[in-house]
Amino acid sequence: MGASASKIKFRESLQSLTTRDVSPDDAAFWDELWKIPSSAEEVFELLTPPAARRLRDERFENLATLFTQATAQLCQIVETPYTIYFDQALNCVRVLTRVLPFLLEKGDLGDSDSGVELLCWGDAAAEERRKRKEGKKKKGKGDRRQSSKSEKEEEEEEEEFDDEEDDQEPLALLVVHAAMHMLFLPQFTCDFYEDESSPSDLDPYGSSSESESDSEEEDDDESQSQDRRSDSDLDQPEMKRRVAKAERETQLEAGLGKVMRIRKGIRIYPSPVAVVWAPGVGFTQDGKCLIRKRDVNEQVLNPELAYTRKYDKNRIEVLRLLLAACSDPLFSPADEYNPLASRWMSIAVAADSPNASCLFYSLLNTVVSYDPSNSSFGGVPGKFASDTHVKLVELSAQVLCVLLDCGLSGDPLQFENKHGDPVVPVSEAFKGGFNIFRILLARINQGRDLTIMYRGFVRLLRNSFEAKTGLLINSQLRLECYQELLVLLWKTLEENPLFLDFILTRCDICELVVPLCYLMHVSRKESAQVGLVHICTFILLKLSGERSFGVSLNRPFRTKLPCDLPLFTGSHADLVCITLHKIVVSGSYRLVPLYSCFLTVICNYSPYWRSMSLVSSVKLVNLFELFSSPKFLYSGEKAYRHVALLLEIFNNVIQYQYNGNQHLVYAIVRRKDTFGRLASLTLPKAIHQCDKAFPASEHPEYDADAAEQVAALSIQDVDEKGNPISEEDDATMTTNGDSTLTGIRERFVPTEAWITELRSSLPMETVNRLLQHLVPVVDEMCERKNGVVDEIEILEVFKEVTMVGLLPVPHAIVIRKYQPNQYTSIWFTAFMWGVIFLRSQKPPIFDGKCIELFQVSNEDTDP
């Protein structure tokens, strides 16, 4: 059968499903449907969204048969993976990928439908029992003895149905489990592999006897464990011993140094390791699995040459199916979304989910081990990096983000059974909200693995500008999955307690800061990229809450970026400052809510900013002038908080880094009138300026209160040691933004109470004393030289001037850390699914008509 003929036949079969009832016993029809060769594009083209919904709403029995038979065939191919049936299995995968989202529109998080519920989570026995009960109610009264006999027989038959129901697993579970099995099916998505079973593998819980309890206890002989580690260290070079010692110290500081020994647990290492798709996290350079802590002789060698890309197309097909099966968050309104409510996702991340550990390491390593700069070989000698593999990298990032977005956070504590295998306690594994993928991510604690992850994120994110600056045109492929990478980076920072400290103390964090700033700068004017700027801001906010981040930013910045950032000579701290200034003055209006977060990032690292460049100094003072102008200052009741943050930045630099920051001091002296006007502000002046800036018929374009609401929900003040600092008006800051959410806000009018609050909130004493001492010095120089004074001379004078005893007592350093909350959590979920929706249009896995998590705008192309 030719391609055109098969397409016509497939179209006719789909039309039959939507126009007439097809019996489940019509073997000829169904066998022919599954055997017709069809591509994913053809399935999505011929089974349009209206046709799929019509099939669901008008011919549900046909859809039920289609869904049931496709699932059954996938289960069969998992049990007997014969290559002659692989094409038929792919047809089933494509059809399920197409119809699943339309079923989920009526699923757990969408508009619940009893038919869909019965199909996905019930079985034929349940339906038959329901019909029997209904028929029993309709029966008339007959002979008493005969009636009692029939009732007894019916009870026995119902018990048989109950037993059958207990044995029958729901189709939803079968689909998800079949997909996870097929991702590691020999000759379909991986090569043949040998069984790695060992004595401890015979018991899935790793217990030595049934009588042993599953209670947790600390390792009875921690000293012997340390001795074993020390003996192994003696065989290593001195450098490796030092690295291992440093890793142990880092783990101990985070409270993760001790390994807990338990008698029972669910093992969570990848087995067999030979099926993991790519080298990287969890494996040595020669392919030995580091996750399974057994004797070296038992570790299975899996060298890099064993990894293959010939199964990438099939992996993509099955990953799409898994993504479609986990897509029910799309059909829940954002304000009602519950990350624990999806039964589909709960199956995928459960402790007994097949091949979950292998899938985690396959997805993660496929992403972080990819090297676009070596695109001719894809990082693997002799292997060409096709568009198919790039698609697999992007889809792997999407699926991993989705699987990490449900359930509860993972416990980073390390547990082992008596064989030394990493396990999860049984009591934890079967609790509601358990997510094995979050557990695996949280437990990555080896320095080599953390380095691989960080280097992977840096390499892929730097591709955003390196792909444009290569010596040869198209010398490396340009990725498009930066937003997925940023979400995955954020998940890692949130889930793994060692990753943040490791990259700040053992890695060059500036390598990550550069692509973040570049992506924010080039995306600042595009409405479609507002989410990207948001997530980059949250990452910077998370990093800036650590002292080591501010210290690291003092490294010189020498990278040439292909964008219109002002030229400057300075450090990475200057790069961040100039980038954020550019976004404020020439970015999208939809980025206004992030202004407080921008200033908070700069404020967090300002006490450690050793030498501010001339450009940064001018930009910061320009921001002060902008936010203290009537257009901004009177745009909301809390608009002055932007000014307060800028004053705190100035105070931090003056008090802690005065030497080396003469450019900022000079910029402040030059704009002394701006500071003077703010210090001398009175109520009559404020009312006059407000009326002039905003006539009665005009409302502020800039909503400062909405911007403050974002910062209030996401930021917590702590001192330099990490102790929380409470603010009396935190509650006010949070509730004041409620009116802005409705879109109706009254025009702000200054009051005497507001003036009093303004003066008490603006820390101007340090800047005022600085100006009182230095302005006369500059005026005297100008008089002495008849007003012709070179800027360099003034800077030299400022270097020689000492401010000891003239400035107030240095204030305590306040660090504002990112604070997780339900609103930002929902935002990340909606942002992630929005990205996946936009990037899953070839073929279009999801249809935007019934999506509730975010708004989908369809451009009408009709005249």
Side-chain angles (χ1 to χ4, degrees):
M1 184 182 294
S4 59
S6 62
K7 186 174 181 180
I8 294 174
K9 188 62 180 176
F10 189 72
R11 180 188 290 111
E12 293 174 352
S13 299
L14 292 179
Q15 288 177 349
S16 297
L17 289 175
T18 57
T19 56
R20 64 181 179 89
D21 293 332
V22 181
S23 172
D25 299 326
D26 189 351
F29 174 85
W30 294 108
D31 289 345
E32 186 179 33
L33 174 65
W34 300 123
K35 293 178 180 178
I36 297 174
S38 56
S39 64
E41 290 73 16
E42 290 174 349
V43 172
F44 281 79
E45 177 187 351
L46 298 177
L47 189 58
T48 62
R53 292 192 178 95
R54 195 163 56 249
L55 178 65
R56 180 195 64 197
D57 300 334
E58 300 175 8
R59 305 286 176 181
F60 188 78
E61 294 297 329
N62 289 350
L63 177 60
T65 305
L66 183 78
F67 184 63
T68 303
Q69 289 204 9
T71 303
Q73 293 203 45
L74 293 189
C75 294
Q76 183 64 38
I77 201 70
V78 168
E79 293 295 328
T80 55
Y82 298 136
T83 56
I84 58 173
Y85 298 119
F86 282 174
D87 289 339
Q88 190 169 329
L90 282 174
N91 280 346
C92 296
V93 167
R94 291 159 184 161
V95 170
L96 286 172
T97 304
R98 186 50 168 163
V99 301
L100 265 178
F102 298 100
L103 284 174
L104 293 177
E105 289 179 0
K106 302 288 186 178
D108 291 350
L109 305 184
D111 298 329
S112 181
D113 181 86
S114 58
V116 174
E117 172 72 15
L118 181 64
L119 174 63
C120 297
W121 303 102
D123 55 20
E127 178 66 12
E128 182 65 24
R129 187 167 57 257
R130 184 185 65 80
K131 291 180 179 179
R132 283 171 177 264
K133 288 182 179 179
E134 290 179 356
K136 182 179 177 181
K137 292 179 181 178
K138 296 178 181 178
K139 281 185 178 180
K141 293 184 178 180
D143 180 73
R144 183 184 301 272
R145 187 175 54 185
Q146 182 67 26
S147 175
S148 61
K149 181 180 179 181
S150 62
E151 287 179 2
K152 185 176 180 181
E153 291 176 351
E154 288 175 1
E155 288 178 359
E156 292 177 354
E157 291 176 0
E158 287 180 4
E159 290 179 0
E160 293 178 1
F161 280 119
D162 289 338
D163 294 337
E164 291 177 6
E165 183 183 18
D166 292 338
D167 296 335
Q168 180 66 36
E169 294 177 320
L171 288 179
L173 183 143
L174 294 176
V175 168
V176 175
H177 280 193
M180 299 188 73
H181 276 300
M182 292 183 70
L183 287 169
F184 302 96
L185 198 64
Q187 296 302 295
F188 185 74
T189 48
C190 67
D191 285 327
F192 281 113
Y193 53 86
E194 296 180 1
D195 186 13
E196 299 174 17
S197 299
S198 64
S200 70
D201 290 331
L202 300 178
D203 183 356
Y205 300 106
S207 58
S208 57
S209 68
E210 295 181 358
S211 62
E212 288 179 337
S213 66
D214 60 350
S215 59
E216 302 173 16
E217 60 180 12
E218 188 173 343
D219 193 351
D220 296 328
D221 197 357
E222 182 67 25
S223 61
Q224 291 183 8
S225 177
Q226 295 290 344
D227 292 341
R228 288 195 299 270
R229 294 192 187 101
S230 300
D231 292 340
S232 62
D233 288 345
L234 292 176
D235 299 332
Q236 300 176 355
E238 180 67 22
M239 182 59 68
K240 289 187 177 181
R241 289 205 305 272
R242 291 179 180 177
V243 171
K245 181 180 178 181
E247 288 181 8
R248 288 196 296 270
E249 291 176 352
T250 302
Q251 294 172 12
L252 288 172
E253 289 176 1
L256 306 175
K258 294 182 179 180
V259 178
M260 305 295 288
R261 182 66 60 85
I262 60 176
R263 293 189 178 95
K264 280 189 176 182
I266 306 295
R267 288 187 300 276
I268 57 173
Y269 58 80
S271 179
V273 297
V275 302
V276 176
W277 297 348
V281 177
F283 298 88
T284 60
Q285 292 180 351
D286 58 359
K288 291 181 182 178
C289 179
L290 295 175
I291 311 303
R292 197 172 184 176
K293 297 181 179 178
R294 295 183 179 174
D295 188 25
V296 176
N297 294 330
E298 294 187 11
Q299 292 179 337
V300 178
L301 290 179
N302 196 4
E304 186 173 298
L305 293 179
Y307 297 100
T308 178
R309 292 180 177 173
K310 62 184 178 182
Y311 304 112
D312 282 358
K313 288 185 178 181
N314 290 348
R315 291 168 179 172
I316 289 173
E317 298 272 11
V318 183
L319 282 179
R320 283 176 181 159
L321 172 58
L322 186 59
L323 186 63
C326 296
S327 64
D328 46 355
L330 283 171
F331 311 109
S332 169
D335 55 350
E336 300 176 8
Y337 176 69
N338 181 358
L340 305 180
S342 172
R343 286 179 288 176
W344 289 83
M345 298 184 72
S346 298
I347 291 173
V349 302
D352 57 352
S353 181
N355 299 319
S357 296
C358 291
L359 180 58
F360 171 79
Y361 288 103
S362 294
L363 297 176
L364 180 61
N365 289 342
T366 297
V367 175
V368 299
S369 65
Y370 178 64
D371 186 1
S373 64
N374 193 16
S375 58
S376 296
F377 305 97
V380 180
K383 298 187 179 181
F384 183 72
S386 63
D387 292 339
T388 302
H389 187 71
V390 175
K391 180 59 182 176
L392 178 64
V393 172
E394 296 173 348
L395 193 57
S396 297
Q398 293 173 8
V399 173
L400 185 55
C401 288
V402 168
L403 295 174
L404 291 171
D405 195 57
C406 65
L408 302 175
S409 297
D411 185 0
L413 292 177
Q414 306 288 323
F415 291 89
E416 292 181 355
N417 60 15
K418 67 173 186 175
H419 303 285
D421 299 329
V423 296
V424 174
V426 176
S427 58
E428 294 294 326
F430 294 101
K431 281 184 177 180
F434 177 84
N435 186 332
I436 190 172
F437 291 87
R438 297 180 78 164
I439 290 281
L440 290 167
L441 182 60
R443 288 198 183 183
I444 297 175
N445 63 353
Q446 298 296 321
R448 180 181 179 277
D449 292 340
L450 296 173
T451 301
I452 289 174
M453 293 176 65
Y454 179 70
R455 297 306 309 166
F457 284 126
V458 169
R459 179 173 60 253
L460 296 175
L461 290 174
R462 288 177 67 90
N463 173 260
S464 59
F465 61 86
E466 288 181 345
K468 297 181 179 180
T469 58
L471 296 177
L472 299 176
I473 299 177
N474 298 326
S475 59
Q476 63 174 285
L477 295 174
R478 187 176 189 275
L479 296 178
E480 300 295 340
C481 59
Y482 304 118
Q483 297 181 95
E484 295 94 317
L485 291 170
L486 291 169
V487 173
L488 187 55
L489 173 61
W490 176 259
K491 294 288 185 186
T492 307
L493 289 170
E494 285 287 278
E495 292 291 333
N496 192 297
L498 294 176
F499 186 71
L500 177 61
D501 180 73
F502 183 85
I503 65 176
L504 289 174
T505 58
R506 308 285 178 82
C507 305
D508 184 2
I509 194 62
C510 295
E511 292 182 326
L512 182 62
V513 170
V514 174
L516 290 177
C517 290
Y518 173 77
L519 288 170
M520 294 174 72
H521 178 267
V522 298
S523 305
R524 70 190 188 281
K525 295 182 179 180
E526 301 178 26
S527 298
Q529 300 297 322
V530 167
L532 185 148
V533 180
H534 270 75
I535 193 169
C536 288
T537 303
F538 281 120
I539 292 174
L540 288 177
L541 184 62
K542 177 86 173 177
L543 296 174
S544 69
E546 305 296 328
R547 177 185 178 276
S548 51
F549 177 76
V551 175
S552 299
L553 288 183
N554 287 297
R555 293 174 181 170
F557 172 71
R558 298 188 179 93
T559 306
K560 293 183 179 180
L561 297 176
C563 60
D564 59 344
L565 275 175
L567 296 176
F568 68 94
T569 302
S571 63
H572 287 80
D574 295 298
L575 172 66
V576 175
C577 176
I578 294 170
T579 300
L580 298 182
H581 169 270
K582 193 78 172 179
I583 297 174
V584 171
V585 298
S586 64
S588 170
Y589 179 76
R590 294 176 61 188
L591 297 175
V592 166
L594 292 178
Y595 287 179
S596 288
C597 294
F598 293 163
L599 297 178
T600 300
V601 170
I602 301 175
C603 190
N604 280 347
Y605 70 75
S606 60
Y608 318 107
W609 199 346
R610 295 171 190 162
S611 180
M612 192 182 300
S613 70
L614 173 61
V615 176
S616 295
S617 303
V618 174
K619 300 299 183 186
L620 274 180
V621 178
N622 284 347
L623 283 180
F624 181 85
E625 194 169 39
L626 177 67
F627 286 121
S628 62
S629 65
K631 280 285 186 181
F632 277 81
L633 188 59
Y634 305 115
S635 62
E637 185 179 356
K638 300 297 180 180
Y640 63 81
R641 290 185 178 271
H642 298 88
V643 181
L645 281 171
L646 282 163
L647 284 172
E648 189 173 338
I649 293 171
F650 299 150
N651 294 344
N652 286 338
V653 175
I654 294 170
Q655 292 276 22
Y656 293 100
Q657 302 291 341
Y658 179 83
N659 295 327
N661 279 296
Q662 286 73 35
H663 286 300
L664 176 63
V665 174
Y666 181 49
I668 292 175
V669 171
R670 290 186 61 184
R671 305 288 181 88
K672 60 183 183 297
D673 293 340
T674 302
F675 294 91
R677 283 194 298 269
L678 191 60
S680 61
L681 185 65
T682 61
L683 182 59
K685 288 183 179 179
I687 294 176
H688 175 72
Q689 292 175 359
C690 183
D691 292 340
K692 186 177 180 180
F694 304 108
S697 60
E698 183 179 344
H699 289 276
E701 295 180 1
Y702 169 74
D703 190 350
D705 290 338
E708 275 306 310
Q709 188 182 25
V710 174
L713 292 172
S714 307
I715 298 172
Q716 180 185 23
D717 293 0
V718 299
D719 59 23
E720 200 172 11
K721 296 182 179 179
N723 301 316
I725 301 175
S726 61
E727 291 190 4
E728 295 180 357
D729 37 40
D730 275 351
T732 305
M733 191 190 324
T734 304
T735 57
N736 280 345
D738 292 345
S739 60
T740 65
L741 296 177
T742 64
I744 302 174
R745 188 168 59 89
E746 295 182 359
R747 177 176 173 271
F748 169 70
V749 178
T751 62
E752 190 65 46
W754 181 82
I755 291 291
T756 303
E757 184 181 356
L758 172 72
R759 290 173 177 168
S760 63
S761 301
L762 298 183
M764 297 197 66
E765 184 180 4
T766 300
V767 174
N768 285 338
R769 289 201 187 182
L770 180 79
L771 293 174
Q772 290 172 6
H773 181 70
L774 294 182
V775 169
V777 174
V778 176
D779 291 342
E780 182 183 350
M781 289 182 62
C782 292
E783 276 186 40
R784 193 169 62 247
K785 298 198 174 184
N786 297 323
V788 182
V789 182
D790 188 73
E791 183 179 298
I792 298 178
E793 296 181 34
I794 297 178
L795 294 176
E796 290 297 327
V797 170
F798 286 169
K799 285 183 181 179
E800 298 173 359
V801 171
T802 177
M803 300 300 294
V804 177
L806 300 175
L807 298 176
V809 177
H811 56 282
I813 295 177
V814 177
I815 303 296
R816 295 169 175 82
K817 292 198 173 191
Y818 169 78
Q819 183 177 11
N821 59 83
Q822 61 175 339
Y823 301 104
T824 54
S825 177
I826 292 174
W827 181 90
F828 275 108
T829 298
F831 169 71
M832 176 191 70
W833 276 109
V835 172
I836 293 174
F837 171 76
L838 291 174
R839 293 180 49 73
S840 300
Q841 298 301 313
K842 294 182 179 181
I845 300 177
F846 310 109
D847 181 65
K849 183 178 180 180
C850 295
I851 289 178
E852 298 285 343
L853 188 63
F854 49 82
Q855 184 177 1
V856 179
S857 299
N858 294 319
E859 294 184 0
D860 190 0
T861 57
D862 296 335

